[in-house]
Amino acid sequence: MSPISTLRLTLLRAMYLLISVGLFMTVWPAILFPTERLANANSVALTLVGSLGLVSLLGLRYPLKMLPILIFELLWKAAWIVAYAVPLWVEKGLDTYASETLFATGMGVVLVPLVLPWRYIFKHYIMADAEPLRCTNLGVAK
């Protein structure tokens, strides 16, 4: 039995679905039907973020096992806001692209912490014993 409430599991699943649907609508068309085929930082970032949408689908089935995806989502969005959006806003203001990106990333920075089971994360990711560096028993019969 899960130590997490059904409501929290449902909210986690909703967040994974929101990420997946959002990325399928915004990023995947550019991946599948690019205007130009270029191997540059933008195409790498696009496919990385698009793949995040695919992996997020696993969160619908395994909401607790896929928590690192939501933690990553929170961290990269918060880092972008602090490192890029705030300095741009202070220095010269935000253009249309930066404003739209700030809104989208800001939504993640607000919503993701609300659905994350912080006590569970603390217990299972921070306080739990680390896995051994070397696996001595792989569960294979001799």
Side-chain angles (χ1 to χ4, degrees):
M1 181 158 178
S2 175
I4 305 297
S5 72
T6 303
L7 174 62
R8 178 70 58 151
L9 292 172
T10 302
L11 291 172
L12 287 169
R13 286 183 171 106
M15 186 59 61
Y16 292 117
L17 185 63
L18 179 66
I19 292 167
S20 294
V21 169
L23 292 175
F24 287 135
M25 291 173 54
T26 59
V27 173
W28 275 98
I31 294 171
L32 296 174
F33 312 106
T35 54
E36 292 183 283
R37 296 228 184 253
L38 299 174
N40 59 22
N42 188 48
S43 65
V44 171
L46 205 60
T47 53
L48 180 123
V49 173
S51 297
L52 181 68
L54 290 173
V55 173
S56 293
L57 289 173
L58 289 172
L60 299 175
R61 183 168 178 151
Y62 307 107
L64 296 177
K65 289 181 181 179
M66 298 307 292
L67 281 174
I69 294 294
L70 293 181
I71 295 167
F72 173 76
E73 185 80 2
L74 174 63
L75 291 176
W76 86 256
K77 287 182 176 190
W80 185 85
I81 290 171
V82 170
Y84 294 97
V86 171
L88 276 173
W89 181 49
V90 170
E91 290 173 14
K92 58 182 177 182
L94 301 175
D95 61 14
T96 303
Y97 176 80
S99 295
E100 291 171 359
T101 305
L102 177 58
F103 179 78
T105 55
M107 291 295 291
V109 170
V110 170
L111 294 176
V112 171
L114 293 176
V115 303
L116 285 175
W118 290 105
R119 278 187 231 154
Y120 181 91
I121 290 170
F122 187 76
K123 180 179 177 185
H124 290 88
Y125 289 91
I126 297 169
M127 297 306 295
D129 291 336
E131 293 178 1
L133 294 175
R134 185 170 161 255
C135 201
T136 55
N137 181 5
L138 297 176
V140 177
K142 293 182 180 183

